[in-house]
Amino acid sequence: MSKINLSVNLCGIQLTNPTILASGILGTTKALLKRVAENGAGAVTIKSISVESREGHKNPTVITFEAGMLNAVGYSNPGVDAAAREFTNLQDVGVPVIASVIGTQKEDFVRVVDGLSAQRFSAIEIPLSCPHTPGFGLLAGQGTPQATFDITSAVRKVTKLPIFVKLSPNIPEICTIAKAAEDAGADAITAVNSMGPGMIINIESQKPILSFKAGGVTGDALRPIAVRCVYDLYKAIKIPIIGVGGISTGRHAIEMIMAGASAIGIGTGVYSRGIDVFRKVCEEISLWMQENGFDSIKSMVGAAHD
Amino acid sequence: MSKINLSVNLCGIQLTNPTILASGILGTTKALLKRVAENGAGAVTIKSISVESREGHKNPTVITFEAGMLNAVGYSNPGVDAAAREFTNLQDVGVPVIASVIGTQKEDFVRVVDGLSAQRFSAIEIPLSCPHTPGFGLLAGQGTPQATFDITSAVRKVTKLPIFVKLSPNIPEICTIAKAAEDAGADAITAVNSMGPGMIINIESQKPILSFKAGGVTGDALRPIAVRCVYDLYKAIKIPIIGVGGISTGRHAIEMIMAGASAIGIGTGVYSRGIDVFRKVCEEISLWMQENGFDSIKSMVGAAHD
Amino acid sequence: MIEQPMMAKICDIQEESPGVKTFFFKLNLNFEPGQFVMVWIPLLDEKPFTISYIQKDLVGISVLKRGVFTNAIHSKKIGDMLGIRGPYGRGFSLKPDSNSCVVGGGIGMASLATLVDRLNLVVDKRRGHVTVIQGARTAAEIIYQKRFRDMKLCTEDGTAGFRGTTVDLLKDLLKKQRFQKVYTCGPEKMLYKVVELCGEHGIECEVSLERYIKCGFGVCGQCDCSGQRVCIDGPIFNIQELSRMEDFGKITITKTGARVIH
Amino acid sequence: MIEQPMMAKICDIQEESPGVKTFFFKLNLNFEPGQFVMVWIPLLDEKPFTISYIQKDLVGISVLKRGVFTNAIHSKKIGDMLGIRGPYGRGFSLKPDSNSCVVGGGIGMASLATLVDRLNLVVDKRRGHVTVIQGARTAAEIIYQKRFRDMKLCTEDGTAGFRGTTVDLLKDLLKKQRFQKVYTCGPEKMLYKVVELCGEHGIECEVSLERYIKCGFGVCGQCDCSGQRVCIDGPIFNIQELSRMEDFGKITITKTGARVIH
Ligand SMILES: Cc1cc2nc3c(=O)[nH]c(=O)nc-3n(C[C@H](O)[C@H](O)[C@H](O)COP(=O)(O)OP(=O)(O)OC[C@H]3O[C@@H](n4cnc5c(N)ncnc54)[C@H](O)[C@@H]3O)c2cc1C
Ligand SMILES: Cc1cc2nc3c(=O)[nH]c(=O)nc-3n(C[C@H](O)[C@H](O)[C@H](O)COP(=O)(O)OP(=O)(O)OC[C@H]3O[C@@H](n4cnc5c(N)ncnc54)[C@H](O)[C@@H]3O)c2cc1C
Ligand SMILES: Cc1cc2nc3c(=O)[nH]c(=O)nc-3n(C[C@H](O)[C@H](O)[C@H](O)COP(=O)(O)O)c2cc1C
Ligand SMILES: Cc1cc2nc3c(=O)[nH]c(=O)nc-3n(C[C@H](O)[C@H](O)[C@H](O)COP(=O)(O)O)c2cc1C
Ligand code: FES
Ligand code: FES
């Protein structure tokens, strides 16, 4: 590996590199977070946690297609109390750990944040944008400017940690929603959650494959949409952006950073390139920066803007 | 080729098979329409026509990526008068020809429909859903239920031809908009137009590649989204649906039909499988129907619904 | 590869025991012993099963009737379709030049069946031998009765073969003979004891683990066992790997992600 | 393949005539004579150009200064970058065992340059010979002066070579010698006459057409010439194909899609 400095300061959190494990991928246990950290991630996000435990949708919950992945996991999680027990002594993980917090109403978000407050999370991410779980995200109307403002404000009151608000690529008014989050005190925007939902039908059985029928689209299919969202957001808001969607190579990461992302999330890339996708992406970023005369991630952020 | 009957009756238009050339692909001249018909299409759609001639966006206007295509052509077209001269004696084409009509306001749609009325078009398609042309489609607010109702009603008054209203996959309320079109007298819904817009940045030059920067995403990336739109629409409306988005194989076409489409459009597939994609798709549909005991397209429409 | 089920028609059904049926399909799967497939019943659910038979283009899964899903499979008839995706995971690594013992408990035997077939094919008769131990609660639960050359049985109630557990029987055998490798699948408590025993005797050992499987290809994190994804890093783990997996034999993770004692 | 420009650094610039410069890049392109690439200047535009030089890993494009875009290319310096995607289209099909004549008018010569190089390489000297005709308005516009073995010049004003058009010169040559094949590129009116002449003489002929190019890979329909897409079905068409293309020599289609007389 080259000596290029990939470090990033994200809302005061120091990351050795800009790659972050996206929520919902591998973030079920502390042991897996640690494994991802050992595979090069600059930070990791846990799978979203609600007040009560949830079984999620039945299988199939995750499938792939030519252009990416389709998932409707349905926010399975053991609930905040079990999560608080699972994610103790987070310093063992070796990199900053971001809590992902969900709820059907703003009080739930507050309760989960409270419940996790004794653990050493570095930030709170609130996804208001899941397209396939009744009661949550888009299906609960959390993707409006007003709801975003309300939920973010409520969380803001109960935590001093940086708050990342995670938005949907579906919503034409993504910038308005991001501004609502910014106004409510969010420290960063995570853009984007999975897109759609989409549906894949098995024609022999004449049935949608996912048990929930529809699910969020991620991976390559999502990348141009995510890049455009980040590009638009960079012009619209002042807080930093974590760019997520279809990143699996160093080039993809740099593209997202040039669109305006200060750090980048990786989900589906864990499938397409393996659990060491973080290390691979970092090596590819370094090499490219070296060949192209960049010496810091910061110097590339938003470079695609006039 | 097998003896399976692929014919479809779409709003009274008799098609020998369910594949339709989507608007904006190859539909610039009558000669190309004829060529596409010779390559197996059941019907063809012309490139969208406005009142005045338009140069469209500068190049690059169409590029591809791992999961599909990105385009911002910007509705280049020679205007209604030149189009009326180009598309004379349409019976020469050999299959039904669908006119695609655009405008910045409802009066424009009416003028274009009027201007083309002497030609033998089989239907009028009105795309209210382009995501990347200022003055038109989504960028002109045509993607609301009210605008859809108004424009469709206005066109309804001046033509007896079947009207197809083409919708965007971006809009969460696609069913509401489709119902507005249905209420206004539309005969079918074309679902969907390109998605996004998305953006692809060339990292060496640090610039978006498309001259318009953002453009609509089509091809594989769009397919699950398009299938889900069609699936939802099938439950919401009574008029037939033309399913478009990411179809390049017989399996894709059958998937879309089972989701609820009575016929299917092909655009990006012309790139991925060649201009004879129509013939290939028809052969693949036939073979599959034969192997799986289906004897008409109609018997498969909506089969994925409970 | 695209991770979507393909529908396969059941072309034969074989009853292995009152609770276990094998369903056969004509399918070309590039399957290694130890791997698994996801079996889909549209609109119902999708669950992991081993391929227990491979004969030319014919593959079979042996299913123990346990709950809603396996009951639904059992109600399928010849000509019905099931969705199959995979194979997934890392299979067994064979040690053909030596004596080995394959220890199966209950339906765990299904995961070992193609391994035994393969070992019998590749083991050099002059240098090695394959011993199979199958344990069950009672005689009626024994499967693959006539399938393998040297299969020793044990039942908890003594209705067939040795009375006692597979671990007891293995301990017994070890007094008389030496195995270079043990392969095992069954209830995790049993696996834990087999591993302990192999550790004491310095025998190589590979174990097939079970955890709740969702994606099957390493992204959802549901199948975690101490940082190892059972679906892709396993389901086969060797004794060295298991020694670093604290949860092995102790903790499993449910559908919700909660940790429960095994 | 992914249809996106790759940035390439200009490593050399060569002046071919007062209006034409060649820009060299280190690039590995799988380019066949007759094909073209799309050249991108970020935020400005993207236009089609032929590769006019291939030397190991060095490729060149020769650009005639005409309008906004070609002026912008001309203002580029060594070390600047241009985006390149392609190559696109169907190239010339070579007939190496016979006498051939390559007829270039104006910058059309650029599209023929690598063809002449290739022909000179593959033509069996005992069986065939390559004659090049380059036509220009005036001597100063002649390019590749010293590049080809047997190049005959003609100018409208007589300042270099034969006074008159390439068609006149070809007619003249045909009185003395026989060509089995003619390859040509230049203004469409000239191409039309060359094709006519070849038709009369029963000579095989391949023509490089120009139409407004947008996508370059056959989807936008902008480059139509009577149902043929110049970008992918062409830009090279033979005399039989051209005979079925009514627009050839008569009508072209502009950026908007309007038909205009050539
Ligand atoms: C790698 C692997 C290979 C397997 N191979 C076989 C086999 O060849 N034959 C066989 O009969 N069984 C096999 N199983 C177990 C089989 O998956 C369960 O018996 C089946 O899922 C039970 O479903 P049910 O609805 O009938 O019962 P339930 O009542 O839903 O569950 C009974 C038990 O089955 C297990 N289980 C349920 N769902 C899952 C799941 N998605 N993933 C993992 N375990 C689950 C749990 O331990 C649960 O307590 C295998 C399991 C794994 C992990
Ligand atoms: C297959 C092909 C190969 C070509 N190879 C060469 C070459 O090797 N060297 C060279 O100098 N020129 C070549 N050209 C022509 C070159 O593309 C034009 O000269 C250039 O686009 C002019 O752009 P401009 O902005 O400078 O001039 P403008 O003022 O914009 O245009 C001048 C003329 O160039 C043509 N033109 C403009 N844009 C395009 C376009 N997108 N596609 C096709 N034609 C266009 C039109 O005829 C126009 O009238 C080629 C054209 C084609 C179709
Ligand atoms: C299997 C799967 C599960 C996911 N679960 C969650 C989740 O629980 N919470 C959340 O905020 N996002 C979730 N996401 C969305 C991802 O965090 C990410 O935003 C999305 O996948 C886009 O990134 P990618 O293209 O790199 O995968 C999930 C995505 C996938 C594929
Ligand atoms: C290059 C290109 C140009 C297009 N132009 C138009 C257009 O003029 N009018 C229109 O209604 N749709 C236009 N579309 C959208 C297509 O008709 C179609 O809805 C979309 O491409 C999705 O189908 P596909 O995935 O098969 O390409 C265009 C698409 C492409 C790729
Ligand atoms: S089942 Fe999803 S990671 Fe193993
Ligand atoms: S330039 Fe688009 S089809 Fe030829």
Side-chain angles (χ1 to χ4, degrees), chain A:
Chain A
M1 274 237 6
S2 70
K3 270 166 232 88
I4 293 278
N5 180 0
L6 295 185
S7 71
V8 160
N9 183 307
L10 180 69
C11 310
I13 313 164
Q14 197 60 37
L15 311 188
T16 52
N17 72 64
T19 68
I20 302 179
L21 173 70
S23 180
I25 290 90
L26 297 182
T28 44
T29 65
K30 181 176 146 189
L32 274 173
L33 296 179
K34 189 152 179 264
R35 175 122 182 256
V36 170
E38 288 160 4
N39 276 287
V44 292
T45 314
I46 65 169
K47 183 155 178 54
S48 305
I49 300 295
S50 54
V51 174
E52 307 290 346
S53 81
R54 291 177 51 81
E55 293 207 340
H57 300 311
K58 286 192 170 165
N59 262 353
T61 44
V62 194
I63 57 177
T64 67
F65 69 111
E66 290 79 349
M69 207 175 261
L70 197 72
N71 91 83
V73 174
Y75 279 146
S76 57
N77 81 86
V80 63
D81 296 340
R85 288 191 299 273
E86 176 68 30
F87 299 110
T88 52
N89 300 320
L90 286 177
Q91 65 281 5
D92 301 346
V93 172
V95 302
V97 180
I98 300 160
S100 176
V101 169
I102 52 171
T104 57
Q105 47 196 0
K106 67 172 187 262
E107 293 73 20
D108 292 353
F109 287 86
V110 168
R111 282 171 66 188
V112 176
V113 170
D114 267 345
L116 298 177
S117 61
Q119 310 314 330
R120 292 238 202 135
F121 287 103
S122 298
I124 305 291
E125 181 168 278
I126 46 177
L128 306 178
S129 38
C130 178
H132 52 251
T133 309
F136 295 85
L138 300 188
L139 299 188
Q142 295 174 352
T144 64
Q146 189 60 49
T148 302
F149 184 88
D150 291 348
I151 296 169
T152 310
S153 303
V155 173
R156 180 72 294 165
K157 287 204 193 86
V158 294
T159 185
K160 293 215 162 61
L161 292 176
I163 299 173
F164 304 164
V165 177
K166 186 169 182 183
L167 302 183
S168 167
N170 289 345
I171 301 180
E173 310 79 26
I174 187 166
C175 291
T176 319
I177 300 170
K179 271 190 210 140
E182 190 174 33
D183 290 345
D187 298 280
I189 295 294
T190 305
V192 294
N193 210 319
S194 56
M195 138 176 105
M199 178 185 285
I200 296 178
I201 294 166
N202 172 278
I203 62 177
E204 279 76 22
S205 63
Q206 306 174 40
K207 292 286 173 280
I209 300 178
L210 291 180
S211 79
F212 190 64
K213 295 183 181 165
V217 177
T218 62
D220 283 338
L222 174 56
R223 190 171 53 258
I225 309 276
V227 167
R228 191 265 309 158
C229 288
V230 168
Y231 187 90
D232 286 351
L233 287 170
Y234 185 76
K235 289 186 291 191
I237 57 174
K238 292 192 189 65
I239 53 177
I241 303 159
I242 300 154
V244 195
I247 298 172
S248 65
T249 71
R251 292 190 70 85
H252 298 160
I254 294 166
E255 182 181 0
M256 191 65 93
I257 290 167
M258 288 185 169
S262 296
I264 60 103
I266 298 179
T268 306
V270 168
Y271 167 68
S272 50
R273 298 196 73 194
I275 199 168
D276 56 345
V277 58
F278 304 94
R279 174 166 304 114
K280 288 174 181 159
V281 166
C282 287
E283 280 170 6
E284 289 158 1
I285 296 175
S286 290
L287 202 65
W288 190 91
M289 285 173 67
Q290 215 161 22
E291 285 172 3
N292 290 273
F294 285 90
D295 59 6
S296 75
I297 295 292
K298 207 175 164 186
S299 65
M300 303 195 295
V301 175
H305 291 261
D306 304 331

Side-chain angles (χ1 to χ4, degrees), chain B residues 98 100 150 208 222 251 277 282:
Chain B
I98 301 159
S100 175
D150 292 348
L222 174 56
R251 292 189 69 85
V277 58
C282 287

